[in-house]
Amino acid sequence: MEKKRRHQWLIVYHWVVTILTLWSVGNLGFLLLKVGNYTLEMEIANGLLVVFALDYFVRLITTKNRKIFLIHAAFDLLGIIPMHPVFALFRLSRLVRIIRFHHLFWRLGISGKWTKAFHRFVYKTGFIYLFSISVAIIVVSAFLFSLTEKQSLANSIWWAITTATTVGYGDVTPQTAFGKIIAAILMVGGVGFIGLLTSTIVDFVNTRVAASEDTQQQDDMAELMREIRSLTSKVDRLQTTVNRLNKQTKKRSTTKKSKKIATTKRPTPAKSISNE
C-alpha cells in the first residue's frame, strides 16, 4: 500500500515538473520573441528558476548517491544558471529522463533504440563531463568579464561563446588588463575543451557508422549464406533425381538385354522330312 501511494505521488511530482518545464520553455520563447509583457515574463522566469533550483538542491541532499546524481543531473544544474533565461532549455533533459523512467516510448509502441543511443552518447562517451566543464568555463568567464568590463550578462555570455569557439566577431572586446587575462584563459581552455567535444562527437558518429556498416555486411553475409544453403539444397535434390533416373535407365537397359539373350537362346522347331 505504501509503495503504491509513493508511486502515485511520484507520478504527480513528474506531472508538476513537466508542466513547469514546458512553462519555462514557453516563457523563454515569449522573452526571445519579445511578445507580451517583458517585466512579467522576467518575473515568471526568475520564479521558475527559484523553483527548479530548490528542487535540484532538495534532490541533491536527499539522494543516496550524490556522485551518480551529479552525473545524471548535470543538465539540471545547467538549467538553473541565473545568468540568462536561455539556460532554461537545459531543463528539457528532465523531460527526457521522465519519459525514459515511465517507458512512454515503449508504451506507445515506439522503439527506444534512439533514446538508448542518445543515453550512450551522452554518458558513455564522457560527453556530459566535457560539455559541463565547457559550459562552466564559459559561464564563469562571462560572469567575471561582466564584473570587470561593466557589460551586461547577455553581452558577456555572447562574448564568452564567440571567444571560446575562436569566432571572435570583435563587437565586444576586453579593455582592462584583468579582462584580457580572462579572455586569454578562456581562449586556451575553450579551444581545448571544445576541441575535445568535437572529437568526441566525430568519434561517436564514426563508431556508429562503422557499426552500421558491419551490421550491413553481416546481414549481407547472412543473406548470402541463406542463398548458398538454398542452392545447395536444390542441387542435392537435383542430384537425387538424376541418380534415380540413372538407376531406372540402367534397370531398363538390363531388362532389354535379358530379353534379347533369352530370345537368342530359344530352340528352333525341327523341319519335317518328306518321303519320296
Side-chain angles (χ1 to χ4, degrees):
M1 186 67 181
E2 182 67 24
K3 185 177 180 180
K4 183 178 179 180
R5 185 180 302 173
R6 188 179 301 173
H7 181 69
Q8 291 175 347
W9 276 109
L10 181 63
I11 293 176
V12 172
Y13 168 70
H14 283 168
W15 269 111
V16 172
V17 171
T18 301
I19 293 172
L20 292 178
T21 300
L22 295 177
W23 189 9
S24 63
V25 174
N27 186 67
L28 173 63
F30 289 134
L31 283 170
L32 296 179
L33 296 175
K34 297 181 180 180
V35 177
N37 191 330
Y38 181 82
T39 304
L40 177 61
E41 292 164 358
M42 281 301 300
E43 291 178 355
I44 293 174
N46 293 331
L48 291 172
L49 174 64
V50 172
V51 172
F52 279 102
L54 290 174
D55 171 72
Y56 176 85
F57 287 111
V58 168
R59 288 186 292 131
L60 177 62
I61 294 172
T62 58
T63 188
K64 295 180 180 179
N65 193 328
R66 290 188 175 87
K67 181 179 179 181
I68 298 298
F69 174 82
L70 290 173
I71 293 173
H72 288 277
F75 285 119
D76 295 349
L77 180 60
L78 298 177
I80 59 175
I81 294 176
M83 295 193 66
H84 196 277
V86 75
F87 285 97
L89 290 175
F90 288 109
R91 298 169 192 167
L92 291 174
S93 65
R94 188 78 178 279
L95 294 186
V96 176
R97 294 205 308 276
I98 291 175
I99 290 173
R100 295 186 74 249
F101 178 82
H102 292 285
H103 307 289
L104 294 183
F105 288 114
W106 178 78
R107 294 176 186 273
L108 295 174
I110 303 174
S111 174
K113 185 177 181 180
W114 69 272
T115 59
K116 292 180 180 178
F118 175 77
H119 187 271
R120 191 182 306 113
F121 165 68
V122 172
Y123 296 104
K124 299 295 183 181
T125 62
F127 176 84
I128 185 65
Y129 306 108
L130 295 174
F131 185 79
S132 300
I133 293 172
S134 300
V135 172
I137 291 174
I138 291 174
V139 168
V140 172
S141 299
F143 180 72
L144 295 176
F145 184 84
S146 175
L147 294 178
T148 57
E149 300 294 328
K150 307 302 180 182
Q151 295 281 346
S152 65
L153 290 176
N155 288 338
S156 300
I157 286 287
W158 168 252
W159 168 83
I161 293 174
T162 56
T163 302
T165 55
T166 68
V167 175
Y169 283 111
D171 52 346
V172 181
T173 57
Q175 303 298 325
T176 64
F178 191 68
K180 292 178 181 180
I181 293 174
I182 295 172
I185 296 173
L186 178 59
M187 290 174 193
V188 175
V191 169
F193 282 100
I194 290 178
L196 289 174
L197 275 177
T198 305
S199 63
T200 301
I201 296 172
V202 172
D203 183 65
F204 179 79
V205 172
N206 290 337
T207 302
R208 294 284 295 177
V209 170
S212 178
E213 291 177 353
D214 291 341
T215 303
Q216 184 64 35
Q217 290 178 357
Q218 291 176 1
D219 293 341
D220 293 340
M221 184 61 68
E223 182 66 24
L224 180 61
M225 293 301 297
R226 284 194 295 268
E227 293 291 336
I228 291 174
R229 284 193 292 268
S230 177
L231 290 174
T232 303
S233 177
K234 292 179 181 179
V235 169
D236 291 340
R237 289 197 298 269
L238 182 60
Q239 185 65 40
T240 302
T241 303
V242 170
N243 292 336
R244 186 174 65 251
L245 291 175
N246 286 335
K247 289 181 181 180
Q248 292 176 356
T249 302
K250 289 180 180 180
K251 185 176 181 181
R252 289 175 184 174
S253 178
T254 303
T255 303
K256 286 181 180 181
K257 287 182 180 180
S258 299
K259 289 182 178 179
K260 187 175 182 180
I261 293 172
T263 304
T264 304
K265 292 182 178 181
R266 186 181 300 170
T268 57
K271 294 182 178 179
S272 61
I273 301 175
S274 57
N275 295 325
E276 296 180 351

